[in-house]
Amino acid sequence: MTNSSDGETPLSTNTTTTNTTPSPTTTVPNSPIKHTPTPTPTGLQSHVLFWDRDGDNIITPHDVYTGFRSLGFSIPFSIGSLLIPLFFSYPTRLAHSWFPDPYFRIYISSIHKAKHGSDTGIYDSDGRFRPVLFEELFQKFDSGSTGSLGVEELWRLIAKDRVAADPAGWSFAFMEWWTTWLLLQREGRVWKEDLRQCYDGSIFWRIREERSVGKGWRQGVLASTPFRFLVGVDRKLFTVHSALVAHHSKALGVLANGSMSEAKEGCAMLEDVDQHTFVRFSQYAYTGNYVAAEPDILLDSSSISIGTAHSAPDEAHLDRVEGEGEEVLSRVPSPPPNVEAPIVEFSASAPNVTPRKDKKKKRAAQEWEKEEVVEFAAENSLSKKTLLWYDFKSKKYATPKPAFRPRKNRESCEDYTEVFLCHARLYVFADKYDIGPLKDLSLHKLQQTLAVFTLYGERVGDIVELMRYSYEHTADLLEPIDELRLLVIHYAGCVVEDLARSVEFRSLLEEAGSLAGDLFDQMLKRLN
């Protein structure tokens, strides 16, 4: 059960037309409960009747927990669902008394009073289902006219519904839609008819019935079997739902659901994967994002000196090109008709992410913008070094929303080696198991972190370790160069003078074969 929002997750949505909403007395599909006779219920009342286990039109915290368990949710998730009566008991109580209910019960007759902001409006202020808005939801957000909504489309829906100064409403909406996706997704999408039945509550009875007779509910992440991974040399145990594994990676999906011995045993070993990397993959699998490592603070006296910063070449010129360059680009005319600004859509939580179709137009737009920047640099006597740095900071990857804003280092005692490597390791993992959106996300976060990184003399070793890892764990490709290598060597080309002072960097050049050649190619771009 979700709250009474106007269109959050299936647990908070209505789906039938007003005149076909199930009656709480006898007509709730598959419902074995005879509810207390009341006037014809609103769509929102029908939506929550599943959690009224004894038919008294009151939902207790125990009813909430039991209802989620009968839908297949885990014990921790069902315990977490007790936040629903905690937040929504008092609003429904107001129709009966000013005093809070000491047992945190939810009153179905006044469930409309628990509606929150930042919702879809599919339930009106009285809790009535509005079929026109339900149809408009799919007209606006079902971009492929598939009769379903993917994660990226649900994320855009949530973002569109947000209103100012309503963090509670934002949170409730996200949790409701996330719960809906977990329960109903099929092939990574929530289908229109399932969502309609979620709004009127009938799908909850159907799920309960199929689970009780042994058929099982075959939709949603929660319907899939948990799959065990033994990760790292210590073989630490991690458990991830097999549907999520298969959704993100066909290769891992074969391990979890195929005919191999791992699928039969429900367990696979990934000894070559760092445990922290797998934790971040799991975060991404369930939420569409991951948390980066924190920098280490070196407390020995020799490393706490402020040091000399060498991060941004030609700082004055860089500020100039960022400010004036963007101003120039804002004044240039729109692209010609055959050039379309590039648009990349990012799936927020379980993504099959695909860029918009016309790649030729996207490339044309990128080249057109680059020509404008080059022309501006020539007119303003900016060095190729500055232009190379601007080009690095302007790199575009498929990005999540809200945008990633990395922590900026302030002192030379902040060791960023693990910060850089956590992104690089995740990229290598995603590359190995063909998880394209995760590759883009890890590159984006690494690029954003490097773009604001102050390269103190004491921190050159952090960059050297990133370069070493990137070249040791990616393939030698002639064309095109691996994306991680390209990003790292692009950065190195911007700050090569600072790197060259380091004994560690010179040792790296002696070790690496293709790294030196790639760096040489970057240096050629700096020749005026």
Side-chain angles (χ1 to χ4, degrees):
M1 176 189 72
T2 62
N3 67 40
S4 49
S5 133
D6 289 7
E8 314 315 6
T9 68
L11 302 180
S12 70
T13 37
N14 4 26
T15 97
T16 57
T17 58
T18 305
N19 59 356
T20 60
T21 301
S23 166
T25 54
T26 58
T27 61
V28 176
N30 300 318
S31 171
I33 299 175
K34 302 297 182 182
H35 291 274
T36 303
T38 62
T40 301
T42 65
L44 187 53
Q45 289 171 342
S46 295
H47 172 71
V48 302
L49 282 175
F50 173 79
W51 281 268
D52 181 12
R53 313 306 291 175
D54 53 8
D56 61 355
N57 287 317
I58 292 176
I59 300 172
T60 67
H62 182 263
D63 291 335
V64 174
Y65 174 85
T66 304
F68 275 95
R69 288 292 289 147
S70 67
L71 292 174
F73 287 90
S74 66
I75 292 176
F77 191 102
S78 300
I79 292 175
S81 71
L82 296 179
L83 290 173
I84 293 173
L86 180 66
F87 283 105
F88 299 113
S89 170
Y90 185 62
T92 66
R93 174 74 168 174
L94 287 174
H96 308 276
S97 171
W98 285 100
F99 295 99
D101 189 305
Y103 302 106
F104 293 98
R105 292 172 295 184
I106 294 174
Y107 295 81
I108 294 178
S109 61
S110 51
I111 189 68
H112 61 283
K113 291 184 174 292
K115 273 172 46 65
H116 61 72
S118 300
D119 58 14
T120 62
I122 290 177
Y123 293 119
D124 68 13
S125 58
D126 293 319
R128 293 184 295 257
F129 175 71
R130 297 197 277 192
V132 173
L133 293 186
F134 179 78
E135 295 297 330
E136 286 183 357
L137 183 149
F138 280 86
Q139 292 173 8
K140 291 179 180 179
F141 296 100
D142 181 11
S143 55
S145 299
T146 61
S148 63
L149 300 174
V151 173
E152 65 276 12
E153 293 158 335
L154 290 174
W155 184 257
R156 286 193 289 113
L157 187 158
I158 294 172
K160 185 272 296 182
D161 288 336
R162 290 189 189 126
V163 297
D166 183 28
W170 307 338
S171 302
F172 295 145
F174 173 79
M175 292 302 297
E176 290 166 356
W177 279 114
W178 179 52
T179 305
T180 299
W181 190 87
L182 289 177
L183 185 65
L184 299 184
Q185 74 86 19
R186 181 162 29 100
E187 299 175 352
R189 306 185 70 81
V190 174
W191 296 84
K192 185 176 183 178
E193 190 54 37
D194 291 337
L195 188 58
R196 185 186 303 277
Q197 293 178 27
C198 177
Y199 272 101
D200 67 20
S202 60
I203 201 167
F204 306 135
W205 301 101
R206 180 157 66 92
I207 295 172
R208 178 176 177 270
E209 176 67 18
E210 292 188 10
R211 286 175 52 83
S212 65
V213 299
K215 293 181 180 179
W217 176 243
R218 301 186 181 278
Q219 289 180 219
V221 171
L222 300 177
S224 65
T225 304
F227 190 81
R228 293 170 295 142
F229 289 93
L230 301 176
V231 179
V233 294
D234 297 332
R235 298 186 179 183
K236 185 173 182 180
L237 177 64
F238 293 89
T239 302
V240 184
H241 284 91
S242 57
L244 270 184
V245 173
H247 178 69
H248 288 288
S249 168
K250 289 183 178 179
L252 290 175
V254 170
L255 284 178
N257 301 312
S259 58
M260 302 173 67
S261 59
E262 288 86 351
K264 296 175 182 177
E265 297 170 1
C267 183
M269 286 189 292
L270 303 177
E271 292 181 310
D272 60 339
V273 177
D274 173 75
Q275 294 177 5
H276 296 294
T277 298
F278 195 83
V279 168
R280 293 186 176 93
F281 163 68
S282 300
Q283 291 173 343
Y284 171 79
Y286 282 97
T287 69
N289 208 340
Y290 67 90
V291 179
E294 290 293 323
D296 292 326
I297 307 300
L298 305 179
L299 298 179
D300 60 291
S301 58
S302 63
S303 63
I304 297 183
S305 60
I306 297 301
T308 304
H310 304 289
S311 67
D314 293 349
E315 284 289 349
H317 283 209
L318 177 58
D319 292 339
R320 185 180 171 198
V321 75
E322 285 182 333
E324 299 179 6
E326 291 172 3
E327 181 182 351
V328 166
L329 288 178
S330 69
R331 297 199 304 264
V332 298
S334 301
N338 63 331
V339 175
E340 187 176 84
I343 302 175
V344 178
E345 296 180 352
F346 177 82
S347 161
S349 107
N352 280 331
V353 180
T354 52
R356 294 275 177 92
K357 293 181 179 178
D358 200 333
K359 294 183 179 180
K360 289 184 179 180
K361 287 187 177 182
K362 176 181 176 180
R363 285 196 297 269
Q366 292 171 336
E367 291 301 323
W368 177 78
E369 179 177 321
K370 186 177 294 185
E371 290 173 4
E372 295 295 331
V373 175
V374 171
E375 182 180 344
F376 172 78
E379 292 175 354
N380 292 270
S381 302
L382 298 181
S383 68
K384 290 288 186 67
K385 174 182 176 181
T386 301
L387 189 58
L388 187 66
W389 182 251
Y390 177 83
D391 189 40
F392 177 84
K393 297 192 75 171
S394 303
K395 278 183 176 291
K396 297 291 191 300
Y397 298 98
T399 56
K401 295 180 175 52
F404 173 66
R405 292 181 176 83
R407 176 186 181 277
K408 183 177 175 63
N409 60 326
R410 302 292 181 184
E411 296 180 278
S412 63
C413 63
E414 296 174 279
D415 185 342
Y416 264 61
T417 303
E418 280 303 312
V419 179
F420 298 142
L421 290 183
C422 81
H423 302 303
R425 292 186 187 116
L426 198 54
Y427 170 89
V428 170
F429 177 88
D431 185 50
K432 179 176 181 178
Y433 293 105
D434 193 23
I435 312 174
L438 182 54
K439 287 174 60 179
D440 286 338
L441 180 58
S442 57
L443 288 172
H444 168 69
K445 290 196 172 190
L446 178 58
Q447 181 260 343
Q448 291 289 299
T449 305
L450 288 169
V452 299
F453 181 66
T454 300
L455 184 55
Y456 295 101
E458 295 85 349
R459 299 272 58 86
V460 170
D462 304 357
I463 302 299
V464 170
E465 288 304 312
L466 172 62
M467 296 175 69
R468 176 179 285 113
Y469 179 88
S470 300
Y471 273 79
E472 287 180 352
H473 292 83
T474 55
D476 286 321
L477 302 174
L478 294 178
E479 287 293 336
I481 184 175
D482 177 84
E483 291 182 272
L484 177 60
R485 290 188 178 191
L486 183 61
L487 176 65
V488 170
I489 209 66
H490 190 164
Y491 176 81
C494 295
V495 295
V496 67
E497 295 92 343
D498 306 317
L499 297 176
R501 300 187 184 100
S502 166
V503 175
E504 297 167 287
F505 178 69
R506 290 196 294 270
S507 298
L508 178 62
L509 289 181
E510 293 174 0
E511 299 171 15
S514 55
L515 186 152
D518 292 340
L519 182 59
F520 179 75
D521 291 339
Q522 285 294 318
M523 295 305 300
L524 290 178
K525 297 178 182 179
R526 290 182 47 172
L527 297 178
N528 289 315

